[in-house]
Amino acid sequence: MSAWRQAGLNYVNYSQIAAKLVRQALKPELRVQAAKRDESHVKFTTWKDGKPITEKL
């Protein structure tokens, strides 16, 4: 059994922790670039009868 499994982590949690530690170990100029890649955006679309429902803001 792997060490991360024995610690009670799943692979996703383990990889997130490892990625965070690697980013912290980078030089400052490279850390900024790595932080930009860490961002993610999610867009949700509600569907009804096979068509997306658009809401006007």
Side-chain angles (χ1 to χ4, degrees):
M1 183 177 267
S2 61
W4 52 268
R5 181 69 73 185
Q6 289 176 344
L9 298 172
N10 61 29
Y11 183 75
V12 172
N13 295 126
Y14 166 75
S15 64
Q16 288 174 339
I17 292 168
K20 182 179 177 181
L21 292 173
V22 168
R23 284 191 296 271
Q24 289 177 353
L26 292 173
K27 293 180 180 178
E29 60 272 6
L30 297 176
R31 193 178 299 169
V32 173
Q33 294 172 0
K36 290 178 185 177
R37 289 191 302 268
D38 188 37
E39 296 177 9
S40 62
H41 302 281
V42 177
K43 179 181 177 183
F44 292 97
T45 302
T46 306
W47 291 72
K48 183 175 180 180
D49 299 326
K51 296 182 181 180
I53 299 172
T54 57
E55 296 180 18
K56 296 188 179 189
L57 299 175

